[in-house]
Amino acid sequence: MKRITVHLPLKKISYNVEFSATFDELEIQLQSQLGNRKFLIVTDSNVQKHSDFLKRFSSKEIFAFPAGEVSKHWSTVEKILNRCFELNFDRNSVIVAVGGGVVGDTAGFAAAIFKRGIPVIQIPTSLLAMVDASVGGKTGIDCAYGKNLIGTFHQPERVFCCRGFLETLPESEIKNGLGEMIKHGILGSPKHFEDLERIANSHPTAEDIFPLVPDSVAIKARIVEEDERESGARMKLNLGHTFGHAIELLHNFKFPHGLAVSIGTMMATQYALEHDICREETADRIENIFNKFGIDITCALPEEKIWEAMTHDKKVKDGHIRLVLPTKIGEVVVQTV
Ligand SMILES: NC(=O)c1ccc[n+]([C@@H]2O[C@H](COP(=O)([O-])OP(=O)(O)OC[C@H]3O[C@@H](n4cnc5c(N)ncnc54)[C@H](O)[C@@H]3O)[C@@H](O)[C@H]2O)c1
Ligand SMILES: [Zn+2]
């Protein structure tokens, strides 16, 4: 199957993202990557319960914490570190993160700080984690002052994406991930967008979606690489996120991230249309793809409230908001408003 390499020459790092259809294939890939090194699988309670993959390992090889964003917390990191000490981990030992973005960020952060850094292998199990969280090396946890405020960059040693995980993923989580895939199409690839249009229906299956995952990962990987040389490219990935973040904030972060991003992407598109930045045909295609996937982009909040939340965001400097706006499918501009 396909393989994508992420090259970060300035950091002297490069790693592969590999794809497999079945857990048998995934197990072979993982065992060959681990060799005879000590390892600990970090996962969450849902993935442990629903995924057959973890039944292939003994309970002492697995550390599972309760599923949910609330676990993306220092206390979980401490428990992971303690397990690593109990297992007499050395600098060659490996943490294997098997889960959604919460597991990837928390386990990745524990790997980054255990004895000043040990390798992490990322095995994303949610669609969002496959196409977004597993590439780019951001790791971290939440705290009382906000989300993702404690953390570091720690690039994975390797990333394995397996179709088998998508088969147990709830439909709401599939839609969350699709929101980020649509975003990738709009900001970087007309072909990816067209491929998504082709499979768009309200109950897409793992067989429909998984073949498009490598392209989505490649779009993010290219931007992460570009950003290493000429900082700023990563900004494009914020399409839909400035509006989306405000929506999440107004819901006290009890709103699905991918859905907030989808609504935010539509708001950015609407803004672009109103300011002659994109044409009606582009806006129609974007609205249609969300509708065809059954992603509800109607926002119950009044637009003024969202703008107000955006201007109060800590990231906003001197009242200027930087918006990522689509010009056409596959291309965006960054505008300060
Ligand atoms: N590091 C990054 O670059 C980056 C990028 C985007 C998001 N994130 C972070 O990722 C998190 C969101 O990720 P997420 O949407 O994957 O959330 P998540 O990890 O909470 O997973 C979503 C839900 O799906 C369940 N789940 C995951 N895989 C499953 C499977 N195969 N079968 C059944 N259930 C499964 C989880 O237990 C959870 O209930 C946020 O904390 C966000 O900050 C990080
Ligand atoms: Zn996002």
Side-chain angles (χ1 to χ4, degrees), residues 44-47 50-51 67-69 72 99-105 124-130 132-140 142 147-148 164-170 173 176-177 180 220 234 241 257-258:
D44 76 22
S45 51
N46 282 342
V47 179
H50 296 293
S51 176
E69 186 75 28
K72 216 172 116 173
V102 166
V103 170
D105 280 8
T125 65
S126 71
L127 184 57
L128 186 130
M130 289 182 192
D132 192 355
S134 65
V135 170
K138 282 189 183 172
T139 74
D142 307 332
K147 270 193 73 177
N148 295 323
F165 290 114
L166 295 185
E167 275 142 29
T168 57
L169 196 63
E173 296 302 334
N176 247 332
E180 299 282 355
K220 173 148 187 196
R234 222 171 165 143
H241 280 64
H257 173 74

Side-chain angles (χ1 to χ4, degrees), residues 126-132 169-184 192 196 209 216 257-259 262 295:
S126 71
L127 184 57
L128 186 130
M130 289 182 192
V131 300
D132 192 355
L169 196 63
E171 196 165 282
S172 57
E173 296 302 334
I174 294 274
K175 288 186 178 162
N176 247 332
L178 282 170
E180 299 282 355
M181 291 177 82
I182 294 167
K183 178 196 85 175
H184 284 165
H192 189 53
L196 286 162
I209 299 165
S216 214
H257 173 74
L259 191 54
S262 297
I295 298 171

Side-chain angles (χ1 to χ4, degrees), residues 56-126:
R56 298 168 183 234
F57 299 87
S58 74
S59 59
K60 76 173 202 313
E61 292 169 323
I62 298 175
F63 174 78
F65 60 75
E69 186 75 28
V70 283
S71 285
K72 216 172 116 173
H73 190 268
W74 175 250
S75 59
T76 309
V77 174
E78 199 175 4
K79 286 180 191 132
I80 298 169
L81 298 176
N82 287 342
R83 274 293 286 271
C84 294
F85 284 115
E86 283 156 24
L87 292 166
N88 283 318
F89 263 31
D90 56 32
R91 295 285 309 272
N92 284 319
S93 309
V94 194
I95 287 183
V96 184
V98 183
V102 166
V103 170
D105 280 8
T106 311
F109 182 55
I113 62 173
F114 183 81
K115 297 191 176 172
R116 297 192 183 80
I118 59 170
V120 62
I121 294 172
Q122 292 283 358
I123 304 187
T125 65
S126 71

Side-chain angles (χ1 to χ4, degrees), residues 68 80 84 119 128 176 236 255 279 289 298 300:
I80 298 169
C84 294
L128 186 130
N176 247 332
K236 283 194 231 169
F255 196 86
R279 298 204 316 203
I289 199 166
T298 48

